[in-house]
Amino acid sequence: MSDADDSARAEAQPRDGRDGENEGLANTTENRGSEAEEPAKNVPWGRPTAYTAVDGLSECYPMNRRPRGAALIFAHSKFDNKDLKPRPSAAHDAELVRGAFEALEFQPEVFLDLTRNDLEGKLSEVAKRDHSGCDALAIVFMSHGEVKPRNNMEFVWAKDDKIPTKELWINFTAERCAGLAGKPKLYFIQACRGPDVDKGVNMTRAVRGMAVQTDSIEEYVIPIHADQLVMWASYPGFPAFTSQREGIQGSVFIHFLAENLRNYALSSPRPSLSSILLKVSREVAVLYESDIDSQNQYHKNKQVPYIHSTLLREIYF
C-alpha cells in the first residue's frame, strides 16, 4: 500500500486514538474524595465469619478447582448519550478476553451493552451466588470513563448511564460476599481516566564505564478489602488508547493483557499473576506509542497501566 493510501485510510478511520475520544469529560485522579467506599449497610457491629481452606500466612492462593471461577466480561460499544462516541472494538476485545480466561480455565460470561440497571443487577446476582466451589473471581469492564470534578470520583459508563467505578467491586468485599472472602478478586478496567498528555522520556542504555494448603487451619482476621486487585488501562488522569496497527485491532491494554494471559496459560510451569501483569505493563509502556495525526496533542503519546492491589498472596493459575 502506498503512503498516500495509508494516509487516506488514517483519515477515514484513525489507527490510534483515545478510547472513544470523547470531548468535555473532566480530568481524573484516583477514586477518592468525600464519597469514598462505605462498609456494607445493615451489618451488625462486629465481625462476620467466613470460612477458608488456606493458612493466614500462606504465600499462595489455592488454585485447584475447575472451573476456577466466573470471569465476567462487560463490553460497551453503543451509548444513549450522544456525547459518547461508539467503541467499535468492544466485541473484538471481549472475544480476546473470553479466550484468555477460558484458557486459564475460568468460566467466561460475556455481556454486551448492558444498561445501568442490568449491569448493577448482574453484579448483585453474581455476588449472591454460591462461590464455595471456586478459587477466584475475575471481572473485565470495557467502556468510557469519566470523573466528577468536585471530588475526583471516577465513573464508568453503562449503555444509558454512568456508575461509580467502585460499584464494580463493592459487592464482592469480604463482608458482603462471604463465599469469596479470602479468595482473589481480579478487576481489569479498560476506560479513559482523563485527558492528560504523556509524551514519554527518551531512554538510552548506559554502556559499562559510562554514564500450601495445610490440614490444620487457625483462625485469623482479614480486612474487608483484602484479596483484591484492580488494574486500569492507564495511569490516573490519562487516556487509554485503541489502535489498528502492529496486530492490535482494538484496545491496546486489552490486547496485551489477553495475549499474555493466553500465552502463559500454555506455559509450564506457569509464572505468577504478578509477573504476568508486570509484563503486560512493560509491553504497553514500551512497545506502544500512539500514531494519530502530527497536529493532534495525543500524537506520539505513551500509556502505562496502573495497578492497585490488596492481594495477600501470589496467584499461580
Side-chain angles (χ1 to χ4, degrees), residues 80-242:
D80 294 345
N81 186 333
K82 300 308 179 184
D83 291 331
L84 299 175
K85 294 186 177 181
R87 301 179 63 254
S89 67
H92 170 79
D93 290 344
E95 183 60 22
L96 286 182
V97 175
R98 185 203 61 76
F101 278 98
E102 198 170 63
L104 290 172
E105 300 181 271
F106 279 78
Q107 188 169 5
E109 302 176 37
V110 179
F111 306 95
L112 300 176
D113 293 328
L114 293 188
T115 64
R116 175 174 178 165
N117 284 341
D118 288 342
L119 173 61
E120 292 177 334
K122 177 54 64 175
L123 292 171
S124 178
E125 179 266 314
V126 173
K128 295 174 183 176
R129 292 179 186 175
D130 179 5
H131 296 279
S132 60
C134 73
D135 288 325
L137 171 74
I139 293 179
V140 183
F141 188 90
M142 297 173 277
S143 185
H144 290 301
E146 190 180 334
V147 71
K148 182 182 291 186
R150 179 172 59 84
N151 60 4
N152 293 325
M153 187 174 181
E154 287 187 302
F155 294 85
V156 288
W157 277 87
K159 184 179 186 297
D160 62 337
D161 199 2
K162 61 187 177 183
I163 66 170
T165 309
K166 67 182 182 181
E167 293 295 330
L168 298 179
W169 57 75
I170 200 169
N171 287 311
F172 303 103
T173 55
E175 92 285 16
R176 291 177 183 243
C177 184
L180 286 172
K183 300 176 181 179
K185 280 78 66 175
L186 311 174
Y187 307 94
F188 301 95
I189 303 173
Q190 167 65 37
C192 288
R193 306 185 73 191
D196 291 350
V197 173
D198 182 352
K199 293 298 183 182
V201 175
N202 288 327
M203 302 292 291
T204 301
R205 184 179 179 184
V207 179
R208 182 172 297 180
M210 299 174 61
V212 193
Q213 185 172 333
T214 62
D215 294 329
S216 177
I217 304 299
E218 62 178 340
E219 292 185 357
Y220 58 91
V221 178
I222 60 171
I224 62 175
H225 293 291
D227 308 301
Q228 173 178 288
L229 179 144
V230 185
M231 187 174 190
W232 284 269
S234 60
Y235 193 81
F238 290 80
F241 290 92
T242 63

Side-chain angles (χ1 to χ4, degrees), residues 7 128 202 249 256 264 272:
S7 176
K128 295 174 183 176
N202 288 327
Q249 300 298 318
F256 286 107
Y264 280 119
S272 67

